[in-house]
């Protein structure tokens, strides 16, 4: 399957709602870019940058993932995740918090980690790796910031830059760090979008993080099969019904999987 065929299929699929989409896809064969530089609300994709800065600090021995943290009840927030809803559960390692932040998008875990590494350091990390349109301005479930429309923002292009650092050899992350990051991403529990068509026992491996707000649906993934790697960032916003966006992203995921295993792409 040629990359050009994939691009044609993506344009055909999204032609009626293309303004709602930002798509960036990187492959060894080349790139696909559809509104990829358009700033979007980051939603929980911001947590990928927090994870990146955490591993930068781990590699510099500024942070130990084995360190335990006691979380007071007043630090727990609602929304996605489980910490807020567990009975008498207050002590977690940084490793636990990192895993919860990614695999179930736990907002309490994310806020504790963001406090630990700092907003400024997280933004400097994004800037250092070339993600100049990514801005982490607030913690998660911050209602005051939400009312002030003080939103975290990123682009599909920036997400791809980060994913490539997780998936390919580079000077920012060691082999060990990248292996740990991919292991965490592989345990993602929200699989109704890009990974929806992944079958048990499939030779396709998917490492990803989703994000959603009202009217916003994202998924960012590293996909591997038969020696081929695809990094994909699908950011969408402006929906009246989030389910419509999920259906589109699911279809995009199927196209990406077909591309990976060289199946002929058709749209029903």
């Amino acid at each position: 399957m040629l990359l050009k065929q994939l691009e044609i299929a993506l344009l055909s699929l999204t032609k009626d709602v293309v303004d709602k989409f930002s798509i960036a896809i990187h492959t060894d064969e080349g790139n696909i870019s559809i509104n990829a530089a358009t700033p979007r609300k980051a939603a929980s994709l911001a947590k990928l940058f927090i994870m990146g800065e955490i591993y930068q600090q781990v590699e510099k021995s500024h942070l130990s993932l084995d360190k335990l943290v006691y979380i007071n009840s007043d630090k727990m927030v609602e929304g996605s995740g489980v910490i807020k809803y567990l009975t008498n559960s207050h002590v977690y390692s940084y490793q636990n918090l990192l895993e919860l932040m990614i695999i179930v998008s736990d907002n309490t875990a994310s806020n504790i980690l963001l406090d630990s590494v700092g907003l400024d350091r997280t933004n400097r990390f994004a800037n250092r790796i070339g993600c100049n349109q990514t801005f982490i301005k607030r913690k998660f479930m911050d209602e005051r910031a939400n009312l002030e429309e003080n939103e975290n923002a990123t682009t599909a292009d920036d997400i791809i830059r980060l994913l490539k650092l997780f998936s390919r050899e580079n000077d920012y992350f060691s082999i060990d760090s990248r292996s740990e990051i991919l292991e965490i991403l592989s345990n993602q529990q929200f699989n109704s979008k890009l990974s929806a068509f992944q079958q048990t026992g499939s030779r396709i491996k998917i490492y990803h993080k989703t994000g959603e707000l009202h009217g916003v649906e994202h998924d960012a993934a590293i996909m591997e099969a038969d020696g081929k790697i695809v990094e994909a960032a699908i950011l969408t916003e402006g929906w009246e019904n989030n389910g419509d966006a999920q259906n589109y992203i699911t279809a995009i995921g199927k196209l990406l999987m077909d591309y990976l295993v060289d199946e002929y792409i058709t749209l029903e």
Side-chain angles (χ1 to χ4, degrees):
M1 170 51 55
L2 298 176
L3 185 67
K4 187 61 179 178
Q5 290 173 301
L6 173 61
E7 182 175 19
I8 291 169
L10 289 170
L11 289 169
S12 176
L13 175 67
T14 61
K15 65 181 185 298
D16 294 331
V17 289
V18 70
D19 289 344
K20 292 180 169 64
F21 273 89
S22 290
I23 298 174
I25 295 170
H26 175 265
T27 77
D28 291 330
E29 189 182 352
N31 303 312
I32 295 173
S33 179
I34 302 171
N35 300 327
T38 301
R40 303 287 187 185
K41 295 177 181 179
S44 286
L45 294 190
K47 296 167 185 178
L48 292 171
F49 292 93
I50 299 172
M51 179 165 64
E53 174 57 19
I54 286 169
Y55 272 98
Q56 290 281 277
Q57 296 198 22
V58 167
E59 293 198 351
K60 295 174 183 176
S61 299
H62 294 165
L63 178 67
S64 170
L65 294 179
D66 294 328
K67 182 179 177 181
L68 297 179
V69 181
Y70 184 91
I71 304 177
N72 291 317
S73 297
D74 61 359
K75 296 291 186 181
M76 297 181 183
V77 296
E78 297 182 354
S80 59
V82 297
I83 291 177
K84 168 73 174 179
Y85 310 103
L86 297 178
T87 303
N88 298 323
S89 184
H90 294 273
V91 179
Y92 300 84
S93 68
Y94 277 99
Q95 182 73 47
N96 296 152
L97 296 176
L98 181 58
E99 291 163 346
L100 287 166
M101 176 177 72
I102 298 300
I103 69 174
V104 293
S105 208
D106 193 290
N107 287 324
T108 296
S110 303
N111 285 345
I112 297 298
L113 291 172
L114 188 54
D115 280 339
S116 297
V117 299
L119 273 169
D120 289 343
R121 287 194 184 95
T122 303
N123 282 301
R124 284 200 296 270
F125 163 72
N127 188 259
R128 191 164 64 247
I129 65 174
C131 296
N132 299 317
Q133 296 302 312
T134 295
F135 304 98
I136 313 302
K137 299 179 179 180
R138 65 173 179 87
K139 294 196 288 187
F140 302 92
M141 300 304 294
D142 184 337
E143 293 302 324
R144 179 176 178 181
N146 187 45
L147 289 172
E148 295 173 354
E149 297 186 351
N150 194 20
E151 282 288 350
N152 300 329
T154 192
T155 67
D157 277 341
D158 279 2
I159 295 297
I160 289 294
R161 288 188 182 92
L162 180 59
L163 292 181
K164 287 164 61 179
L165 295 182
F166 293 162
S167 62
R168 301 171 190 258
E169 186 175 351
N170 61 85
D171 294 331
Y172 289 96
F173 297 105
S174 67
I175 293 174
D176 288 343
S177 290
R178 288 191 290 113
S179 177
E180 290 177 20
I181 288 168
L182 291 177
E183 177 67 21
I184 294 170
L185 290 170
S186 74
N187 291 323
Q188 176 58 242
Q189 298 298 295
F190 299 147
N191 291 296
S192 63
K193 288 182 264 188
L194 285 179
S195 60
F197 279 100
Q198 186 182 30
Q199 297 179 355
T200 302
S202 169
R203 66 184 190 270
I204 300 174
K205 297 179 180 179
I206 301 178
Y207 316 88
H208 71 120
K209 177 76 187 77
T210 63
E212 50 271 326
L213 297 166
H214 178 67
V216 173
E217 289 287 344
H218 305 327
D219 206 348
I222 299 160
M223 297 181 172
E224 295 181 350
D226 304 333
K228 294 171 67 173
I229 301 177
V230 169
E231 292 91 2
I234 316 299
L235 280 62
T236 76
E237 62 180 56
W239 302 92
E240 292 184 11
N241 187 322
N242 279 46
D244 292 335
Q246 290 181 16
N247 290 336
Y248 276 103
I249 299 175
T250 296
I252 291 171
K254 180 62 166 58
L255 292 174
L256 291 170
M257 290 184 222
D258 287 349
Y259 170 77
L260 271 172
V261 297
D262 291 321
E263 291 186 6
Y264 183 73
I265 292 176
T266 60
L267 290 176
E268 297 296 334

